[in-house]
């Protein structure tokens, strides 16, 4: 490779080996990894014999030889810039590493329900719908690993679901009670709430339905009540996931008019009409009753539209901009990062979690390595914050493996 070509590639370097240190062996199944190495040297051969020739071709020969010979008679590629030098040890890789993900960058989504037991979610192995007591135990455990921000998603009984979603602002509802419990025991925790009607809608939509349409402004009137109810219960951040036009500004005015100028808004700025939300809808039993969400969530084919949403959300007073889903939308994350000075969050959604879990369960991927790589990639793309069902587990891995 020529020097100019080598320099061209330099900015692309840096993250591939982010978590390959002494503690991170190349992937083998857990059973094999635990077995003794069978006598093979830890570093491979220590000397090389002569390399077998290829008939009719000598890379060192001729006026346009592919490789040269150095003063010691060894082969030498006349390459001055060798990016591998900055990868030669974990110490140097650590020194030049551009992005490190930390437990405090995570927001942990928690599903809650009114039952007295925790229920497994089949399409999200390892995640549960928690009783309020179960939720408190999960918060306490996560706290030990430095995860301090949580977002709550309720599964609501069918009998409480209506088209106008009025249960969303019942002050004795499950979300206000859950907020109170967390803030009482963990006053330093940050509790974020979902602002949208779908868990409370008998239509399975994020807004009020009229004549087959999801009506914008009437929905926002409901969302304002929902956000104020959550703020009264102690929410630190409200996060509108509904995608109605103008809801950030309306929520800001609603909160301010009630004295909640300190309550933040994390806007689901670029929320796409994605098939990756399936397991989440299983978890909350909130699949749309008819149609889909394409009249309010963004078309996955569009990138510029995210910039339009970002400009509106920023102007309306959002404190954070979120992109959702995460992995397939890293380009959108980067574009928002370049376009805005607000912190950027990504939601690593239920379907992304389910894919990694399924491959890991089959032994096809090393779960720890692939999860930590994924989280690092979010940061590289421009995320300050990552909402992920892996929050507790990833924080635990980062700490236990001494990666932070
Ligand atoms: C609904 C909402 C959804 C998610 C978060 N809030 C689903 C949807 O829009 O249908 C999805 C999160 C996930 O898939 O993990 N307001």
């Amino acid at each position: 490779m020529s020097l100019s070509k080598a320099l061209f590639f330099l900015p692309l370097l840096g993250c591939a080996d982010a978590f390959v240190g002494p503690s991170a062996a190349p992937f083998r199944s857990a059973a094999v990894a635990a077995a003794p190495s069978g006598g093979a040297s830890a570093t491979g051969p220590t000397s090389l014999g002569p390399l077998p020739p290829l008939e009719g071709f000598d890379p060192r020969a001729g006026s346009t030889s592919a490789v040269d010979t150095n003063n010691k008679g060894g082969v030498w590629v006349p390459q001055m810039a060798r990016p591998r030098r900055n990868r030669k040890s974990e110490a140097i890789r650590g020194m030049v590493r551009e992005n490190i993900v930390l437990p405090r960058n995570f927001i942990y989504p928690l599903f809650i329900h009114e039952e007295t037991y925790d229920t497994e979610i089949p399409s999200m192995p390892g995640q549960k719908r928690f009783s309020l007591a179960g939720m408190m135990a999960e918060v306490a455990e996560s706290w030990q690993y430095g995860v301090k921000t949580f977002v709550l998603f309720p599964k609501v009984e069918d009998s409480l679901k209506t088209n106008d979603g009025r249960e969303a602002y019942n002050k004795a509802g499950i979300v206000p009670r859950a907020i109170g419990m967390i803030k009482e025991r963990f006053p330093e925790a940050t509790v974020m709430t979902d602002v949208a009607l779908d868990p409370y809608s008998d239509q399975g939509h994020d807004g009020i339905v009229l004549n087959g349409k999801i009506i914008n402004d009437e929905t926002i009137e409901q969302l304002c009540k929902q956000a104020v109810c959550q703020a009264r219960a102690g929410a630190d951040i409200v996060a509108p996931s509904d995608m109605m036009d103008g809801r950030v500004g309306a929520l800001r005015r609603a909160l301010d008019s009630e004295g909640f100028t300190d309550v933040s808004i994390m806007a689901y700025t670029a929320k796409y009409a994605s098939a990756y939300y399936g397991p989440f809808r299983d978890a909350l039993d909130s699949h749309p009753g008819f149609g889909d969400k394409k009249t309010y969530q963004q078309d996955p084919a569009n990138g510029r539209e995210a910039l339009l949403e970002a400009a509106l959300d920023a102007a309306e007073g959002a404190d954070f901009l979120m992109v959702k889903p995460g992995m397939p939308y890293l380009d959108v994350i980067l574009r928002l990062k370049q376009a805005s000075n607000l912190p950027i969050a990504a939601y690593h959604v239920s379907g992304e979690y389910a894919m990694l879990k399924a491959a890991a369960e089959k032994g096809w991927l090393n779960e720890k390595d692939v999860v930590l790589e994924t989280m690092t990639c979010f940061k590289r793309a421009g995320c300050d914050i990552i909402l992920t069902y892996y929050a507790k587990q990833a924080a635990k891995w980062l700490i236990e493996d001494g990666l932070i």
Side-chain angles (χ1 to χ4, degrees):
M1 191 190 283
S2 69
L3 183 61
S4 62
K5 203 167 163 201
L7 288 173
F8 171 77
F9 278 110
L10 277 175
L12 302 175
L13 303 172
C15 270
D17 292 343
F19 285 102
V20 182
S23 58
F27 174 55
R28 282 163 289 159
S29 76
V32 177
S37 60
S41 143
T43 52
T46 52
S47 64
L48 277 184
L51 300 173
L54 172 66
E55 195 189 327
F57 173 61
D58 179 356
R60 298 201 200 188
S63 57
T64 57
S65 64
V67 299
D68 288 352
T69 302
N70 67 17
N71 288 346
K72 309 285 183 195
V75 64
W76 177 59
V77 176
Q79 171 72 21
M80 305 304 159
R82 292 186 182 237
R84 287 187 58 186
R85 279 195 286 266
N86 281 351
R87 304 178 198 138
K88 70 184 167 191
S89 67
E90 179 49 27
I92 289 185
R93 290 193 296 272
M95 194 160 56
V96 302
R97 186 163 293 138
E98 296 175 34
N99 293 288
I100 297 173
V101 68
L102 298 168
R104 61 173 171 264
N105 300 126
F106 293 136
I107 297 179
Y108 191 8
L110 299 174
F111 299 113
I112 52 177
H113 63 185
E114 289 285 7
E115 312 299 341
T116 53
Y117 47 83
D118 302 340
T119 308
E120 303 283 340
I121 302 164
S123 51
M124 300 182 73
Q127 297 299 309
K128 292 179 183 143
R129 272 197 306 268
F130 290 111
S131 66
L132 291 179
M135 172 196 77
M136 288 308 294
E138 190 70 3
V139 168
E141 197 186 338
S142 307
W143 192 264
Q144 292 183 344
Y145 301 114
V147 175
K148 299 181 173 175
T149 305
F150 305 89
V151 56
L152 304 176
F153 293 103
K155 179 176 188 295
V156 176
E157 278 173 51
D158 282 350
S159 64
L160 296 172
K161 295 185 181 182
T162 54
N163 184 29
D164 59 23
R166 63 187 65 181
E167 177 64 15
Y169 48 91
N170 173 3
K171 67 174 194 243
I174 186 168
V175 168
R177 279 181 288 128
I179 299 168
M181 286 173 72
I182 298 175
K183 295 299 287 189
E184 190 185 344
R185 186 151 147 222
F186 296 96
E188 300 302 315
T190 301
V191 179
M192 185 161 105
T193 48
D194 187 48
V195 178
L197 297 185
D198 52 310
Y200 312 94
S201 162
D202 61 4
Q203 305 296 308
H205 276 286
D206 290 30
I208 300 176
V209 176
L210 189 62
N211 297 321
K213 293 200 165 117
I214 288 67
I215 49 176
N216 197 88
D217 297 20
E218 291 80 355
T219 296
I220 289 180
E221 190 172 3
Q222 295 297 74
L223 300 180
C224 288
K225 298 175 201 167
Q226 183 180 21
V228 166
C229 176
Q230 293 166 345
R232 285 179 181 165
D236 300 287
I237 306 176
V238 298
S241 67
D242 56 289
M243 291 300 280
M244 299 299 117
D245 290 333
R247 90 281 206 208
V248 171
L251 292 181
R252 188 69 273 159
R253 288 188 295 276
L255 292 167
D256 288 2
S257 67
E258 287 296 293
F260 295 115
T261 51
D262 281 348
V263 171
S264 317
I265 299 178
M266 180 176 288
Y268 284 63
T269 295
K271 177 172 177 181
Y272 286 87
S274 172
Y276 285 96
Y277 306 150
F280 174 98
R281 295 175 188 170
D282 295 344
L284 298 188
D285 189 20
S286 65
H287 289 271
F290 66 90
D292 51 41
K293 299 193 175 184
K294 291 180 185 168
T295 68
Y296 43 109
Q297 300 178 350
Q298 280 182 225
D299 185 338
N302 295 349
R304 281 182 300 148
E305 204 178 350
L307 297 174
L308 176 62
E309 291 281 3
L312 289 169
D313 287 350
E316 291 173 33
D319 300 288
F320 314 86
L321 305 180
M322 189 209 293
V323 175
K324 175 185 177 189
M327 279 267 272
Y329 296 84
L330 293 182
D331 59 317
V332 178
I333 292 168
L334 177 60
R335 288 167 81 164
L336 256 55
K337 186 69 167 192
Q338 289 168 338
S340 175
N341 290 321
L342 289 172
I344 307 294
Y347 199 143
H348 182 237
V349 300
S350 58
E352 300 176 74
Y353 175 86
M355 291 195 303
L356 296 184
K357 273 285 170 192
E361 281 185 0
K362 280 185 172 286
W364 292 348
L365 287 174
N366 179 314
E367 186 177 22
K368 185 201 296 186
D369 291 351
V370 83
V371 167
L372 295 179
E373 178 182 329
T374 301
M375 298 305 143
T376 305
C377 293
F378 280 126
K379 290 214 98 177
R380 193 201 59 235
C383 282
D384 304 284
I385 300 163
I386 306 159
L387 290 86
T388 178
Y389 301 98
Y390 272 114
K392 181 187 80 175
Q393 179 63 76
K396 196 170 174 220
W397 281 327
L398 289 169
I399 290 166
E400 287 175 355
D401 287 9
L403 295 169
I404 50 174

